[in-house]
Amino acid sequence: MQKRFFSFCATLFLCGTMYAQNKMTPEQLWQLGRVDAEILTPEGQVVYGVTRYDATQNTSSRNLYSMALSGGLPRQLTTGGGANVQALPGGRLGFEQDGQWWEMNADGSGARQQTHEQALMSGIRMSPDGKHILFTRRVKAEKVSGADFYPDLPKSRVQIYTDLMYRHWDTWSDGTVSHLFYAAYADGKVSDTLDLMEGEPWSVADYRWSPDGGAVVYVAKKKKGKAAALSTNTDIYRYNPVTGTTENLSEKIKGGDGQPAFSPDGRMLAWTSMKTDGYESDKNDLVVMDMKSRALRNLTAAWDGTVSSFRWSEDGKSLFFTAPVDGTMQLLRTGLQGGITPVASGDFDINGILGQQGDTLVLKREDFNHAAELYVFSLKHKQMRPLTTVNREVYEKLPPSRTEKRRVKTSDGKEELVWVIYPPGFDATRKYPALLYCQGGPQVALTQFYSYRWNLQLMAAQGYIVIAPNRRGMPGYGVKWNEAISKDWGGQPIRDYISAVDDLAREPYVDKDRIACVGASYGGYSTYLLAGLHPERFRTFIAHDGLFDLKSWYGTTEEMWFANYDIGGPYWEKDNKAARRSYQRYSPSDYVTKWKKPILIIQGGIDFRVPVEQGLQAFQAAQLQGIKSKLLYFPEENHWVLHAQNALVWQHEFFKWLEETL
């Protein structure tokens, strides 16, 4: 009897251990290799990078690998970094490492540093003939520090500003900008260096060689200070090395232009383009310009969607592009006269197009259950197969979460797509707690993404049903649906969340008394607002870097175009109806007296998009009202959580809070 008892206990222990091993954990999430594409060489080699994190050392490392397009085993090319890979004549590869240019054979042998510039370069791009390079370098554009103004006081620690954009994202301005440089290159030596933006007080954003090396195109927003803070108008510039002249190719377009790419023969230039200055989430169209006549054509003007990224076809007669479509990121195609054709579809995200060789495309793909890997897609057979399998061994041991698209009727009679992610081994006869996931952005598509923080697979693996609504404001359902959130942050989009929650709460397997609301950025704003407007529907809340008080946020955020377009404008404009409505009706701080449920507040210390006072105000309001609350303050994190150990603390506190309060 005693032996049978011990055997029974051992069986229980073994089953429990196997279950623990077969459930995604935060530690496993941060052990995954993060795959990103580099190039597809003319010889049919796919070069890609894999980043891995060492949580014990709180560090990361990235190395390059290559693999034949036809398949086979990957070959590791570097053991100490490498990025910005380019194909060179003779089948060799060039890459950037430690601010210098390196070259090696395609098999990884013969790697050697070519340049030895004292001032480090970044973003190095070799010309097609290998005789010139482009690169960026920081240059001083204005005085900022106390020592700049008072050289006799070099140890002063003061920064002096007289205009906006004095800080951006997570960095205070030090008076330097990133300029584009053009230089001759021979035998590893750089000479005749020319600053293409000399004397200009703004930075370059992107740049490309023409296929013959006879021209350079680059992207810049040639505005500074308040003008830069209020505008999204980036332009495409063409530099002619022979004449030394620069031409603005998109001067008549007032919105954001970017991602310039020449056709294979160099006769056409394509880029993504928005019409409205100040609206960063405007419809992104795909336009092409004839480089001889300068005639411009919008290929997606009649299409009710927005382009994410694109790549020219091998023959230059069409363009492949990715775009959010019905809760996924899909691959489409357009000819040079327009007309949109779906290329691939499925419940996954295609979020990168590496290249084409004949019938074959190399794509980057992910879904709720799998981190990004590279795939090979046959245009003829419409079939896709994995090329890289960096994380296959991990996923083979994990039961996947079932995901489904659910169509929900909103309060105004529209149809809303809601992703539902179920726990592994979901049993419809049981009751499960649920999480309402509120997406940030606010105009960011909620597709089959794979995040290393807001990971829906990880949430479901802990036993929660995840409800992820594609509320108003998300692309993939037409331009009007995408635009509907601007100046209505606390209106219909919030009601869309409630429609989704109420619909799922009617299912017998959802415990309607154990539903949490979680989110970051606009999702954190949504969490704060829902805590005041609908506390009865939720048992607990988690808000990360959320906007709590719109008036103080307007006075401290950096990209004023966003606040002006989405909120309506400054709080002091008494005749601005849209702005008055936002500040009077849609600020979560006005509803804190109705907060009743526990709330976990997370805030990054160097988040200048949603600055630190937002999280501190929310925590203080909860504490002073006697509401169970906790503050996680990450002094070295911006709007994201980028350090491995910080991220693991984030994950453990997230699930610990849910366990305590849900």
Side-chain angles (χ1 to χ4, degrees), residues 452-654:
Y452 292 92
R453 182 161 45 106
W454 293 95
N455 187 286
L456 306 190
Q457 176 194 30
L458 179 62
M459 294 178 192
Q462 314 312 308
Y464 301 104
I465 293 175
V466 182
I467 306 166
N470 280 252
R471 45 113 180 109
R472 233 57 63 105
M474 293 184 178
Y477 310 93
V479 172
K480 287 185 178 180
W481 184 274
N482 191 23
E483 292 176 341
I485 195 169
S486 296
K487 304 173 185 63
D488 190 37
W489 275 25
Q492 190 59 49
I494 298 298
R495 292 191 288 274
D496 289 346
Y497 281 135
I498 295 303
S499 296
V501 167
D502 288 351
D503 181 75
L504 264 295
R506 286 191 285 268
E507 297 291 354
Y509 48 77
V510 173
D511 187 341
K512 65 180 181 180
D513 294 323
R514 290 194 296 154
I515 300 177
C517 178
V518 304
S521 194
Y522 174 82
Y525 162 91
S526 302
T527 301
Y528 288 145
L529 197 57
L530 285 166
L533 294 178
H534 299 284
E536 74 286 350
R537 282 181 169 84
F538 304 97
R539 179 174 281 192
T540 190
F541 297 87
I542 301 177
H544 181 130
D545 286 358
L547 295 84
F548 172 75
D549 181 79
L550 293 185
K551 184 180 288 188
S552 62
W553 172 74
Y554 188 89
T556 52
T557 192
E558 13 82 296
E559 293 181 349
M560 302 314 302
W561 68 75
F562 174 70
N564 285 341
Y565 196 91
D566 264 55
I567 301 301
Y571 57 84
W572 56 80
E573 291 184 350
K574 304 303 182 184
D575 295 330
N576 184 332
K577 292 182 180 180
R580 298 306 298 166
R581 182 186 185 199
S582 292
Y583 294 112
Q584 291 175 356
R585 296 178 56 185
Y586 297 152
S587 186
S589 58
D590 290 335
Y591 300 92
V592 291
T593 57
K594 297 182 180 179
W595 283 14
K596 305 297 180 187
K597 305 296 178 60
I599 185 164
L600 171 63
I601 295 160
I602 309 171
Q603 181 66 48
I606 54 172
D607 181 359
F608 301 154
R609 185 63 44 81
V610 182
V612 65
E613 86 284 343
Q614 297 298 305
L616 300 188
Q617 288 181 85
F619 178 62
Q620 199 143 313
Q623 283 282 304
L624 292 175
Q625 294 184 96
I627 296 168
K628 179 180 173 65
S629 52
K630 182 187 285 190
L631 172 68
L632 298 186
Y633 173 61
F634 292 94
E636 62 182 348
E637 300 292 357
N638 56 29
H639 208 52
W640 318 128
V641 178
L642 302 177
H643 301 82
Q645 290 193 9
N646 285 346
L648 287 172
V649 171
W650 189 100
Q651 297 284 6
H652 286 297
E653 286 290 330
F654 182 93

Side-chain angles (χ1 to χ4, degrees), residues 306-464:
T306 187
V307 176
S308 293
S309 63
F310 73 92
R311 179 172 286 273
W312 282 93
S313 65
E314 195 175 36
D315 60 11
K317 295 181 180 179
S318 62
L319 298 101
F320 298 100
F321 67 93
T322 62
V325 178
D326 198 34
T328 60
M329 192 68 70
Q330 290 304 331
L331 181 66
L332 303 98
R333 190 175 194 170
T334 178
L336 295 181
Q337 302 302 319
I340 310 300
T341 305
V343 178
S345 62
D347 285 347
F348 48 74
D349 279 6
I350 296 173
N351 47 27
I353 311 168
L354 184 59
Q356 178 189 6
Q357 282 196 357
D359 173 59
T360 302
L361 288 176
V362 180
L363 308 170
K364 186 178 175 183
R365 171 182 148 175
E366 64 186 36
D367 60 55
F368 284 143
N369 282 297
H370 301 92
E373 298 275 5
L374 300 184
Y375 281 72
V376 171
F377 179 75
S378 168
L379 291 167
K380 180 179 179 180
H381 300 291
K382 304 295 183 184
Q383 294 178 343
M384 198 177 301
R385 65 171 174 83
L387 182 65
T388 64
T389 53
V390 171
N391 297 305
R392 181 172 60 188
E393 290 185 6
V394 174
Y395 289 124
E396 283 180 343
K397 299 174 183 177
L398 296 174
S401 294
R402 178 164 68 90
T403 66
E404 71 174 15
K405 289 180 175 179
R406 189 180 181 101
R407 310 289 174 173
V408 173
K409 189 173 183 179
T410 61
S411 61
D412 61 346
K414 307 291 185 182
E415 185 180 80
E416 170 187 25
L417 184 145
V418 178
W419 280 113
V420 184
I421 302 90
Y422 296 93
F426 171 73
D427 180 354
T429 65
R430 293 177 51 197
K431 278 191 177 293
Y432 294 85
L435 308 180
L436 171 65
Y437 168 70
C438 300
Q439 175 87 321
Q443 296 97 342
V444 172
L446 203 170
T447 58
Q448 284 264 338
F449 70 97
Y450 198 87
S451 168
Y452 292 92
R453 182 161 45 106
W454 293 95
N455 187 286
L456 306 190
Q457 176 194 30
L458 179 62
M459 294 178 192
Q462 314 312 308
Y464 301 104

